[in-house]
Amino acid sequence: MFKKTTLAASVLLAIAAQPVLATNGMAPTGLDPLQQSMGGASAGYAANTMSMATNPAAASFVEDGYDIGAEVFKPSRSATFKGTAFGAPADATADGNGDELFLIPNAGYKRSLKGGLSVGITAYGNGGMNTAYDGGVPFGTAYFSGTPGSTGIDLKQLFIAPTASYKVNENVAVGASLNMVYQRFEAEGLGAFSGFSSVPANLTDKGGDSSTGVGASVGIQGKVTDKLSAGLAYRSKTKMGKFEKYSGLFPNGGEFNVPAATTLGIAYKATPQTTVAADIEQIEYSKIAAMGNAPGTPLPFGSANGPGFGWDDQTVYKLGVKHQLNEGLALMAGYNYGKSPISSDETTLNVLAPGITEKHASLGFEKKLTPKSKLVGSYVHAFKKTVTGNATVPPPGPLPLDAYDLKMDQDIIGLGYSVEF
C-alpha cells in the first residue's frame, strides 16, 4: 500500500510542474484517459479509481487497485483585433501559441477496508489556462504590453483528494473527498492596463505566484437495477489564498477561488458487451469574482469586488459508449458539449483566457495486458470555435470590451495504465 501511495504522490509532483489549458471553460472534459474516451461521463459510472475524482461514492464500486495516466494537450488559440471597426487601416491577428504542448498526468489509488468502508486518493489537474502571444497583442494603436512585447498568462490547478466511501447496502454508497488544492499563476505583458489597476505595481510581470486552499466533494452512487446505475456529486467552492503578487489584477486584492460544480450521471448496460453513460454538470463560474465579475465593472482591477473575466455559468452534457469487442479489447467513444461561458460583448480581456470551445468528440480503447492490468488510450478533438466580438464603438474613454474575435480548437492524446489488486 505504501509503494502504491508513493507512486501516486510522484505523479502529483509531475502534475504540479505542468501548465494546463482546459476545455469546458477552464475545466477538463474528463480527468483521465478513460473518462476522456467517454466524453467525461463518470458520475454514475464506476469505471476505475479515477472515477472517485468526480464522485467519491464510486470508491465503493471500483475494484481495489491504482491507475496512472498522462495526456499530451495541444491547443490552438488566436485573437483578432477588429481594427477596421474603430478606424484603423486593418484588422490584426495575434497568435497565442507560444507554448504549444502540455503534459497532464493523473493518478488514483483505492483500497477496501472492513465494514463496508473504502478509502483512496486521486491526483489530477482540475483545469487552468495558458496563452502565450510571443508577438504581442494589438491594443488600439499600441499593444497589451504598452509597447511591442510578449503577452500571456499561465494558470494551473492541482487537486489532491483523499477519499472515503461507505456502502450503505449492496446497492447504495455515499462518499466524501477532501480537496487539497494548489494553484499557480503568472502574467506578463499587461502594461497597457496599468491605468485601470488599484495597484499598478502588482498587475503584471511579477513572475510566478501560488496559493492553496481546501474544499470538499460529496456524492452518492447506486445500482437502480441490474442494468442501470446512477450518481450525484457536488464539489464545493474552494476559497483559495490570494495571489499577492497580482493584487492589482484580480478582485479583492488577488483573489482567485475555485468554482463549485454539481454533476448528475447514469450508466446503462444496454447489452452484456455495451455500456452507455451520460452526465450533466453545472459549473458555477459566475459566483467566483475573478471569473464571473464583468470586465466593465466600474472599479479598478484588484479592488473589492472589482472586474473579472465575465464568465457565465456553464452546463456541460457528456455522453459515452463502451463496447467490449472481445475478451481482451474494448472500444470507446464519446461526445461532450458545453456552451461557451464567454459572450460576444466581453472578448477583450478574454484574449488572455479564451476558454470558448464547445463541441468535443472522443475515441478510445482499453486493452487487457494481463488478468489484472489494462492499457487505456484516448483521443479528444475540440472543434474550432469562434466568438466574434460585437465591436461596439465606446463613448470617449477606454477601448471597448468586445474588440476582438477569439478562436480556439484543441487535440488531446492520452495513455493510461490500470492495475487491480
Side-chain angles (χ1 to χ4, degrees):
M1 182 174 181
F2 175 77
K3 291 181 179 179
K4 304 302 188 297
T5 305
T6 301
L7 177 62
S10 299
V11 176
L12 283 184
L13 294 175
I15 296 174
Q18 299 300 326
V20 179
L21 190 145
T23 85
N24 290 142
M26 63 172 289
T29 55
L31 299 174
D32 78 321
L34 194 150
Q35 289 184 26
Q36 293 278 37
S37 295
M38 298 187 66
S42 54
Y45 180 43
N48 61 17
T49 63
M50 286 303 299
S51 301
M52 301 184 299
T54 301
N55 189 341
S60 292
F61 296 105
V62 299
E63 297 293 333
D64 287 5
Y66 68 88
D67 295 89
I68 57 173
E71 298 168 350
V72 176
F73 186 48
K74 186 180 186 302
S76 175
R77 57 270 196 219
S78 65
T80 299
F81 175 61
K82 301 169 76 70
T84 54
F86 304 102
D91 295 346
T93 297
D95 186 316
N97 299 313
D99 296 326
E100 295 186 344
L101 295 176
F102 305 89
L103 180 67
I104 310 172
N106 66 267
Y109 172 88
K110 180 255 175 171
R111 175 74 75 173
S112 297
L113 304 179
K114 295 181 180 179
L117 183 66
S118 297
V119 296
I121 185 170
T122 55
Y124 53 94
N126 181 65
M129 192 64 64
N130 177 283
T131 47
Y133 297 94
D134 289 347
V137 178
F139 190 61
T141 58
Y143 290 82
F144 267 39
S145 53
T147 57
S150 296
T151 291
I153 64 170
D154 181 21
L155 171 69
K156 51 197 172 193
Q157 291 178 348
L158 166 69
F159 271 49
I160 303 173
T163 300
S165 179
Y166 176 70
K167 216 168 190 181
V168 179
N169 55 48
E170 286 303 309
N171 295 319
V172 178
V174 293
S177 297
L178 182 69
N179 297 326
M180 299 181 291
V181 184
Y182 166 87
Q183 62 181 7
R184 185 183 183 280
F185 178 79
E186 183 173 356
E188 67 171 346
L190 306 181
F193 294 92
S194 60
F196 307 102
S197 172
S198 60
V199 190
N202 288 348
L203 172 73
T204 185
D205 300 293
K206 301 296 290 185
D209 198 4
S210 62
S211 67
T212 58
V214 177
S217 296
V218 294
I220 183 170
Q221 192 174 95
K223 299 176 181 178
V224 181
T225 69
D226 290 342
K227 295 183 178 182
L228 178 66
S229 63
L232 176 65
Y234 173 75
R235 186 191 72 209
S236 72
K237 170 185 171 180
T238 304
K239 185 172 178 58
M240 304 294 294
K242 295 181 179 181
F243 291 126
E244 300 289 349
K245 292 182 180 180
Y246 293 94
S247 60
L249 176 60
F250 295 125
N252 306 316
E255 180 183 88
F256 199 108
N257 296 323
V258 179
T262 303
T263 309
L264 174 66
I266 61 171
Y268 180 67
K269 196 80 170 177
T271 74
Q273 293 80 33
T274 306
T275 299
V276 180
D279 282 4
I280 298 176
E281 180 182 23
Q282 181 77 1
I283 307 174
E284 299 179 8
Y285 290 124
S286 68
K287 296 181 181 179
I288 303 300
M291 305 187 72
N293 286 5
T297 300
L299 295 167
F301 289 108
S303 62
N305 204 34
F309 287 98
W311 284 24
D312 299 324
D313 290 344
Q314 187 176 44
T315 303
V316 183
Y317 303 90
K318 308 177 182 185
L319 178 66
V321 179
K322 180 179 180 181
H323 179 71
Q324 197 69 41
L325 193 64
N326 54 50
E327 184 178 353
L329 179 64
L331 301 179
M332 295 169 284
Y335 182 76
N336 176 295
Y337 173 80
K339 183 180 178 181
S340 168
I342 299 169
S343 62
S344 294
D345 57 354
E346 294 173 341
T347 61
T348 297
L349 192 59
N350 281 294
V351 166
L352 302 173
I356 60 174
T357 52
E358 296 183 341
K359 300 176 182 178
H360 312 78
S362 57
L363 296 171
F365 70 88
E366 183 181 72
K367 172 66 177 176
K368 184 178 288 188
L369 302 177
T370 71
K372 292 290 187 178
S373 65
K374 300 172 183 176
L375 186 68
V376 179
S378 63
Y379 169 71
V380 181
H381 178 69
F383 294 92
K384 182 176 290 186
K385 170 69 178 176
T386 300
V387 173
T388 301
N390 290 335
T392 304
V393 177
L399 282 171
L401 301 173
D402 51 7
Y404 294 81
D405 293 344
L406 308 178
K407 292 184 180 181
M408 178 178 283
D409 61 89
Q410 303 163 352
D411 291 287
I412 311 169
I413 297 175
L415 195 63
Y417 179 63
S418 179
V419 173
E420 297 177 3
F421 298 151

